[in-house]
């Protein structure tokens, strides 16, 4: 039982490159979330998926796209990376009817 | 607009020195208030959910309490392994999203 897994753990991109961050969960949770965490800014929601087949924007969606591939997987794509997207990205899951979220270990992304 | 403010930003305590962390919140209808622990280089780890004023939850040396405007995380006789950043978050009624505070960095000196 791995819980919430994220790949890759670390990534360095050049400005303008694209990449996809992967998140998978084996907790049978309905809801999945993508956050970014920056020093002094706290955790900010990028996108979320309340259930399979739905996605919604969070607080800071610009420059990102998401795909809820199935109940287990939720990916975050950067189409043209910018230095402002240097951050630590966390995926989280939650069970409908229970409000706490469970987080993955994070992806540390640097854009140069 | 829902808001969460945590204080202090950082706190250094001697081992065994009890203290409290504060989380002030503004939300139009509270569904739940959450406390998380985050160790360096790791994702946040869920600790507690509080649903209504007057509720208390305990786990080892931690006790979380809730009023209509704020929550406290009381740490009794802390140990160095309690050193971490503690995050507070709230969810409003009818909202799928959680709003996080910026956290309190707690350092327990041996």
């Amino acid at each position: 039982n791995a819980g919430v897994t994220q790949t890759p753990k670390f990534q360095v991109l050049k400005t303008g490159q694209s990449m996809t961050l992967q998140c998978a969960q084996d907790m049978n949770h309905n809801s999945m979330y993508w956050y970014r965490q920056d020093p002094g800014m706290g955790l900010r929601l990028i996108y979320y998926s309340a259930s399979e087949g739905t996605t919604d924007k969070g607080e800071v969606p610009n420059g990102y796209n998401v795909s809820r591939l199935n109940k287990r997987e939720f990916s975050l794509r950067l189409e043209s990376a910018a230095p402002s997207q240097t951050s630590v990205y966390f995926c989280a899951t939650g069970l409908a009817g229970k409000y706490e979220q469970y987080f993955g270990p994070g992806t540390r992304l640097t854009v140069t | 607009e829902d808001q969460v403010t945590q204080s202090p930003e950082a706190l250094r305590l001697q081992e065994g020195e009890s203290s409290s962390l504060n989380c002030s919140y503004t939300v139009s209808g509270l569904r739940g208030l959450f406390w998380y622990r985050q160790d360096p280089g790791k994702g946040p780890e869920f600790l507690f959910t509080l649903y209504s004023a007057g509720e208390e939850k305990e786990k080892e040396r931690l006790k979380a309490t809730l009023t209509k405007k704020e929550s406290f995380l009381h740490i009794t006789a802390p140990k160095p392994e309690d050193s971490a950043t503690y995050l507070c978050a709230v969810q409003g009624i009818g909202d799928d999203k959680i709003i996080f505070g910026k956290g309190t960095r707690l350092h327990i000196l041996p």
Side-chain angles (χ1 to χ4, degrees):
Chain A
N1 185 351
V4 182
T5 58
Q6 293 184 236
T7 55
K9 286 187 168 57
F10 301 93
Q11 184 70 49
V12 179
L13 292 178
K14 294 186 177 179
T15 298
Q17 288 185 319
S18 62
M19 78 161 295
T20 300
L21 282 65
Q22 305 284 356
C23 174
Q25 53 110 351
D26 62 4
M27 304 175 78
N28 201 31
H29 287 173
N30 298 316
S31 302
M32 298 186 75
Y33 307 81
W34 276 106
Y35 292 89
R36 61 178 289 173
Q37 188 174 40
D38 303 290
M41 298 295 292
L43 279 161
R44 292 182 291 170
L45 183 65
I46 305 171
Y47 270 94
Y48 67 102
S49 171
S51 61
E52 188 178 352
T54 68
T55 60
D56 286 286
K57 295 178 180 179
E59 181 184 356
V60 288
N62 291 344
Y64 305 95
N65 286 300
V66 291
S67 295
R68 183 73 184 266
L69 304 170
N70 47 55
K71 189 172 184 179
R72 293 187 61 249
E73 298 173 289
F74 189 37
S75 62
L76 178 72
R77 183 160 177 83
L78 287 70
E79 290 292 351
S80 179
S84 60
Q85 294 178 305
T86 293
S87 187
V88 181
Y89 291 85
F90 289 102
C91 175
T93 71
L95 184 62
K98 285 187 176 290
Y99 315 119
E100 61 265 23
Q101 295 178 7
Y102 296 87
F103 285 78
T107 293
R108 283 143 189 83
L109 175 67
T110 301
V111 183
T112 62
Chain B
E1 182 180 324
D2 299 348
Q3 282 193 325
V4 178
T5 303
Q6 292 188 246
S7 62
E9 287 187 16
L11 182 62
R12 292 166 69 90
L13 300 172
Q14 290 294 136
E15 183 173 0
E17 181 184 1
S18 301
S19 187
S20 297
L21 313 183
N22 177 262
C23 172
S24 297
Y25 66 92
T26 304
V27 64
S28 53
L30 180 68
R31 175 185 261 184
L33 183 140
F34 314 95
W35 283 98
Y36 289 82
R37 170 189 171 128
Q38 187 174 21
D39 293 302
K42 297 191 175 181
E45 176 188 348
F46 170 72
L47 291 173
F48 305 111
T49 304
L50 301 167
Y51 296 102
S52 57
E55 190 175 359
E56 299 182 352
K57 293 271 179 77
E58 287 189 64
K59 181 179 181 179
E60 296 181 356
R61 294 175 291 282
L62 301 176
K63 184 168 81 171
T65 61
L66 181 65
T67 72
K68 288 188 178 180
K69 294 184 179 180
E70 57 192 351
S71 176
F72 292 93
L73 185 65
H74 306 278
I75 302 175
T76 302
K79 298 181 177 182
E81 54 261 41
D82 295 321
S83 297
T85 295
Y86 291 86
L87 302 173
C88 174
V90 297
Q91 186 174 30
I93 293 171
D95 200 343
D96 290 320
K97 304 184 294 294
I98 288 177
I99 306 298
F100 281 85
K102 294 180 181 180
T104 293
R105 295 188 311 279
L106 177 65
H107 186 53
I108 308 300
L109 302 165

